[in-house]
Amino acid sequence: MKPRSSIKKILTSILLVVVIALTVISYKMIYEINKPLGKHIEVVDTSQFKSISGKFAIKNINVLSENSEVMIPHQSVLIKGNTIESIGDSIHIPKDYFVVDGTNKYLIPGLIDSHVHIKKSKNDLLLYLANGITYVGEMTGMKEHFTYAKEIEKGSFLGPRMYIASPKVSSEKTFMTTLRSWFESRQQNFTSEKAIRKAVSDYKAKGYQAIKLSSGLYERDFYFALIDEAKKENIPVIGHLPPYIYMEDLYTSGQSQLSHIASITQSEINEYGGLNYKNAEAFVKYFTAKADSIAIKLKENNITISSTLWIYENMDKQDFDLKNFLKTIELEYMNPGWVEPSKFSGGWLPGTGNSYNIPDNNDSISMARSKIHWDAQTKVVQEMTKALSRHKVTILAGTDANGANGCVPGFSLHDELESLNAVGLSTSQVLHSATLASAEWMKINTGKIKVGYDADLVILNENPLENIQNTKAINTVIANGKLFNRETLDRMLHEVKEANNRGRNISIDEYLD
């Protein structure tokens, strides 16, 4: 019996070693995957930030009209809890209300970024709040986001409230995407229509508010099965346009929101047979002539577009002049886990794998050809935006913050608003895209200054209807029943920056102006 006993002990020992090894490997894998998600950066203690809550009044302020077109002067606004209680030019302010003097200031609804990726970078929630953003659309949901949302609602953490879409629905079959789907829930791969349909009902049951499509959903049948099931479950389908789904498919599919104006142009590029330096000029002419008909069909089928215009206008800067581009953004507020390279991300910095950057050793001919390509891409995205505006397609201001290199949470929305204005939307239309349009699509009780609406509000020192850059002139933010003054907002920004600095492995000093 001794040999059997010895063999058993040896096998037990081997099994134990294997279990320990797999545990260590799994731990390291999870650690590495969490790094570009921002998990490892110290979370700021938000209890240090003072606010006023309960009952307060803003007196003698200019209030943005419900249609976002004019400022109504000399208004007073009473707020109780998180609700707008009264608005008028001669209302009585009770003695027990904290009073904010709004003289020569401007009141707008809290801003909404309709397309963000918080990942596990919890400090980003403070960046949104400090930038006047009181609601965000999380476009690749994770279970952690429900925890964050609950903490914000009850006041144990500070940040914008959240609309949470499901993890990306994909059908990619590469080893890396499969591995990541095991350890990270942000993207899930499916191999059958049955599994896709079950995912829709499962995601709805978990509380996700929309089903997010990935550009990696390669089977046409899967796309239509997903939308069919979503209709049965009464949950919207949003996101990318998969590569084998064309605009003609989209119009009557039932997909209610398309992420990125560039999703439209990319679909047309695919149908055209590709875009390169040889056919760039011809494609721009072809697309420009077609843009209005596309916008008309989108409007007829009530399909909403989340913009993300700024990033496509600035990809070439990362491509050709990354070092100087980094000096133009608020890099110090960006979670180092996403900025620095890791096993699962190239990061944002030169020489580390930034996905937009052309290596320095590329020859001048390749660089010139790439420039022609980027110029054409930018031109058609801008032309499409103009056509969407002309035909009154609903545009939601969105940035792809934390999803696309260069988009810093909170700050990037102001860049997006400037891009939308520069391409031809009026300041009124731009404000509408970042307030009421997004709120109505999300079916939330905010987005305009009206009695009974949530008191998600921003006091500005300058008039944004005169210059859209004035959305950055933030004096006070009111969110979730709490009033934060400029000093507190600055403190939030400072604490996030300091937490980032303590978590850095690579200095970014050369990229700070």
Side-chain angles (χ1 to χ4, degrees):
M1 297 296 292
K2 274 190 174 182
R4 287 187 180 180
S5 177
S6 297
I7 291 171
K8 186 176 180 180
K9 286 181 179 178
I10 291 170
L11 291 175
T12 302
S13 297
I14 291 172
L15 180 61
L16 181 61
V17 170
V18 169
V19 169
I20 292 171
L22 289 174
T23 301
V24 171
I25 291 170
S26 295
Y27 175 81
K28 288 185 175 180
M29 183 70 69
I30 292 169
Y31 183 90
E32 289 297 329
I33 286 175
N34 277 331
K35 184 178 180 182
L37 299 180
K39 173 71 172 178
H40 304 319
I41 300 303
E42 168 194 340
V43 177
V44 172
D45 176 12
T46 64
S47 67
Q48 65 184 291
F49 304 123
K50 305 304 179 187
S51 64
I52 296 167
S53 59
K55 301 175 182 178
F56 40 92
I58 308 167
K59 70 174 185 179
N60 194 35
I61 195 165
N62 301 289
V63 172
L64 186 68
S65 62
E66 292 181 26
N67 61 9
S68 303
E69 292 182 356
V70 297
M71 285 288 178
I72 306 169
H74 309 302
Q75 299 293 292
S76 291
V77 180
L78 299 188
I79 297 164
K80 185 176 182 180
N82 191 36
T83 304
I84 298 173
E85 187 179 28
S86 184
I87 307 170
D89 57 4
S90 59
I91 60 175
H92 170 69
I93 299 176
K95 290 183 179 180
D96 59 341
Y97 277 57
F98 179 85
V99 177
V100 177
D101 185 4
T103 303
N104 296 324
K105 294 181 175 61
Y106 302 85
L107 188 67
I108 66 170
L111 299 171
I112 301 172
D113 189 334
S114 71
H115 191 121
V116 310
H117 299 277
I118 296 167
K119 301 181 180 178
K120 296 182 182 179
S121 185
K122 197 174 181 180
N123 290 343
D124 292 351
L125 299 168
L126 294 172
L127 298 181
Y128 289 113
L129 199 60
N131 276 282
I133 299 164
T134 58
Y135 226 108
V136 295
E138 168 52 57
M139 290 295 106
T140 311
M142 307 171 72
K143 63 182 181 181
E144 287 83 0
H145 299 148
F146 291 107
T147 301
Y148 300 167
K150 288 178 182 176
E151 290 176 349
I152 290 166
E153 286 291 348
K154 68 181 182 181
S156 59
F157 199 82
L158 299 178
R161 287 180 292 166
M162 300 164 63
Y163 178 97
I164 306 174
S166 75
K168 289 182 182 178
V169 176
S170 176
S171 63
E172 295 184 50
K173 298 180 178 67
T174 66
F175 172 75
M176 191 60 71
T177 56
T178 301
L179 193 64
R180 291 190 70 164
S181 70
W182 291 348
F183 290 94
E184 176 197 323
S185 63
R186 294 180 67 247
Q187 177 166 310
Q188 293 295 297
N189 298 311
F190 300 93
T191 57
S192 69
E193 286 187 33
K194 182 178 179 181
I196 285 276
R197 289 180 180 275
K198 185 176 185 302
V200 172
S201 57
D202 287 348
Y203 285 144
K204 183 175 181 181
K206 289 178 180 177
Y208 292 107
Q209 293 162 279
I211 304 299
K212 173 66 184 291
L213 279 168
S214 166
S215 55
L217 186 68
Y218 295 118
E219 291 79 7
R220 283 176 61 86
D221 291 347
F222 287 12
Y223 174 82
F224 293 111
L226 183 147
I227 292 181
D228 178 64
E229 196 65 28
K231 289 176 182 176
K232 295 175 184 177
E233 293 286 347
N234 192 30
I235 185 169
V237 176
I238 65 177
H240 297 248
L241 201 59
Y244 301 110
I245 302 298
Y246 301 110
M247 293 303 296
E248 289 297 329
D249 298 314
L250 172 69
Y251 298 137
T252 57
S253 67
Q255 181 174 337
S256 64
Q257 189 213 93
L258 189 61
S259 297
H260 318 295
I261 295 170
S263 288
I264 302 169
T265 58
Q266 186 58 54
S267 177
E268 290 297 315
I269 288 170
N270 293 343
E271 281 208 66
Y272 194 75
L275 174 64
N276 55 58
Y277 73 96
K278 293 180 179 179
N279 68 4
E281 185 177 351
F283 176 74
V284 170
K285 290 180 180 177
Y286 162 83
F287 184 84
T288 302
K290 195 175 180 181
D292 283 301
S293 65
I294 293 172
I296 289 168
K297 289 178 182 178
L298 290 169
K299 179 65 176 178
E300 288 174 348
N301 290 283
N302 196 30
I303 297 171
T304 296
I305 311 295
S306 183
S307 59
T308 69
L309 173 63
W310 180 87
I311 185 58
Y312 288 95
E313 291 180 326
N314 286 272
M315 280 181 182
D316 65 330
K317 295 182 179 66
Q318 297 191 65
D319 204 342
F320 300 108
D321 194 12
L322 181 56
K323 289 183 180 179
N324 284 322
F325 169 79
L326 292 175
K327 293 178 182 179
T328 68
I329 63 174
E330 295 80 5
L331 188 64
E332 64 269 38
Y333 296 105
M334 190 66 213
N335 191 306
W338 187 231
V339 171
E340 297 173 359
S342 68
K343 287 183 172 61
F344 291 95
S345 171
W348 287 19
L349 305 177
T352 66
N354 180 301
S355 58
Y356 304 135
N357 187 220
I358 291 179
D360 291 336
N361 60 0
N362 258 39
D363 60 82
S364 59
I365 294 175
S366 296
M367 296 281 280
R369 290 173 177 176
S370 182
K371 182 72 165 62
I372 292 170
H373 175 270
W374 278 124
D375 287 348
Q377 286 266 40
T378 301
K379 177 68 174 175
V380 294
V381 171
Q382 291 174 333
E383 289 301 319
M384 191 66 242
T385 307
K386 294 174 185 178
L388 294 173
S389 177
R390 280 195 296 271
H391 297 285
K392 296 181 171 51
V393 177
T394 301
I395 298 174
L396 314 181
T399 65
D400 209 2
N402 248 5
N405 292 3
C407 291
V408 181
F411 297 93
S412 59
L413 183 62
H414 299 284
D415 295 330
E416 185 70 17
L417 302 186
E418 289 181 36
S419 280
L420 290 169
N421 184 225
V423 86
L425 276 70
S426 69
T427 53
S428 172
Q429 289 174 309
V430 172
L431 287 174
H432 181 75
S433 76
T435 54
L436 188 56
S438 291
E440 288 183 335
W441 189 87
M442 293 178 181
K443 298 180 180 178
I444 53 179
N445 190 42
T446 186
K448 61 181 173 181
I449 304 171
K450 183 178 180 179
V451 172
Y453 273 62
D454 293 345
D456 298 326
L457 304 166
V458 181
I459 298 175
L460 301 173
N461 292 323
E462 305 291 340
N463 186 351
L465 290 177
E466 293 179 356
N467 187 334
I468 201 62
Q469 292 184 3
N470 290 337
T471 58
K472 294 184 284 191
I474 298 171
N475 177 280
T476 302
V477 173
I478 301 167
N480 200 25
K482 295 180 174 63
L483 184 150
F484 303 95
N485 63 21
R486 184 67 257 174
E487 182 181 355
T488 301
L489 299 174
D490 286 339
R491 185 68 184 172
M492 289 179 187
L493 294 175
H494 173 79
E495 290 299 319
V496 172
K497 182 166 64 174
E498 290 302 301
N500 287 344
N501 287 337
R502 289 191 289 272
R504 292 193 195 287
N505 296 305
I506 300 174
S507 172
I508 61 168
D509 288 351
E510 65 178 299
Y511 311 116
L512 303 180
D513 254 353

